[in-house]
Amino acid sequence: MKTTYYGQSALEIVTGGKKLLFDPFISPNPLAKDIDIHSLKPDYILVSHGHGDHVADLLEIAKSSGAKVICIAEIAGWLGTKGIENVHGMNIGGGFNFDFGRVKMVNAVHSSTLPDGSPGGNPAGFVIYAEGKAVYFAGDTALTYDMKLLEDDNLDWAFLPIGDNYTMGADDAIKAAAFINCKNIIGVHYDSFPVIEIDKDEVAEKFIKAGLNLKLPAIGETIEL
């Protein structure tokens, strides 16, 4: 299992011979200018919520790749109005077995409206169970005590937002890591806009002091999970 980071919360996980693309906001992000979205050929696209900085490239990539989109039921319905029919709608607390492994949709505390003003349902996170591993993609979220529900899942890795302002920041992400009982953290949702710029050295030091393994991959960088 490996992951490639594309900036903000956009990333790809390759597992079970399938490519899973999360929250595709790439072409409008100047930090990701070297990423060609037409080269991305995911088998699945997982969408945590409807905000533009998570779905900007969703329609184009879904149409060009034919990927199945996994998302909350309201976004699934919205995609149908846009001509995207290869969709698997879910809701909070539900799980489903796909050909690469199992996906469980979990709670996130945030908001969710689609770019055209349509309601995006509840925001969500995902836990991916594949290749004998469990990986948590938190989506955009505040620190929430619901994360404690994951502490017995033996998570191998967690993607947590650390940019503050719109989501939890580094200090709350450290608390979240304790709640979910996971020491391997990949930080996301930072630096794309001035209000979520971080001091990477300061953040890294905080995670080290907390006994956590924080990864902040460069855009386009691939790491093994």
Side-chain angles (χ1 to χ4, degrees), residues 140-163:
D140 277 14
T141 187
L143 177 68
T144 169
Y145 209 66
D146 281 0
M147 292 172 177
K148 290 280 287 182
L149 296 170
L150 301 178
E151 67 179 338
D152 296 328
D153 276 31
N154 298 314
L155 295 171
D156 294 280
W157 288 87
F159 295 87
L160 301 180
I162 59 173

Side-chain angles (χ1 to χ4, degrees), residues 192-209:
S192 306
F193 314 109
V195 293
I196 60 172
E197 290 178 357
I198 66 169
D199 183 325
K200 291 183 181 179
D201 291 337
E202 179 182 343
V203 168
E205 183 63 26
K206 287 181 177 182
F207 274 77
I208 290 171
K209 287 182 177 179

Side-chain angles (χ1 to χ4, degrees), residues 21-190:
L21 180 65
F22 291 73
D23 285 1
F25 169 76
I26 301 168
S27 60
N29 182 1
L31 300 180
K33 63 183 183 300
D34 294 330
I35 304 299
D36 176 13
I37 64 169
H38 301 290
S39 69
L40 303 178
K41 300 297 180 184
D43 299 288
Y44 295 87
I45 303 172
L46 289 83
V47 179
S48 68
H49 67 292
H51 288 162
D53 61 325
H54 295 258
V55 303
D57 296 311
L58 172 59
L59 296 178
E60 186 166 354
I61 295 176
K63 289 176 180 177
S64 66
S65 67
K68 182 182 290 292
V69 182
I70 302 172
C71 57
I72 198 85
E74 287 80 0
I75 295 179
W78 176 80
L79 286 168
T81 69
K82 303 297 182 182
I84 306 297
E85 298 181 354
N86 192 12
V87 179
H88 184 96
M90 300 183 70
N91 219 313
I92 307 297
F96 191 83
N97 295 326
F98 294 92
D99 57 1
F100 60 85
R102 183 168 178 81
V103 175
K104 185 174 183 180
M105 181 174 277
V106 297
N107 193 39
V109 177
H110 194 60
S111 58
S112 181
T113 304
L114 290 152
D116 63 2
S118 300
N122 292 326
F126 299 98
V127 183
I128 310 299
Y129 305 92
E131 296 186 39
K133 296 182 178 181
V135 177
Y136 173 42
F137 178 84
D140 277 14
T141 187
L143 177 68
T144 169
Y145 209 66
D146 281 0
M147 292 172 177
K148 290 280 287 182
L149 296 170
L150 301 178
E151 67 179 338
D152 296 328
D153 276 31
N154 298 314
L155 295 171
D156 294 280
W157 288 87
F159 295 87
L160 301 180
I162 59 173
D164 217 349
N165 196 74
Y166 297 115
T167 67
M168 61 185 177
D171 293 338
D172 278 355
I174 288 170
K175 293 178 183 177
F179 281 4
I180 64 177
N181 187 31
C182 182
K183 291 189 175 297
N184 296 316
I185 308 298
I186 298 176
V188 297
H189 207 278
Y190 67 92

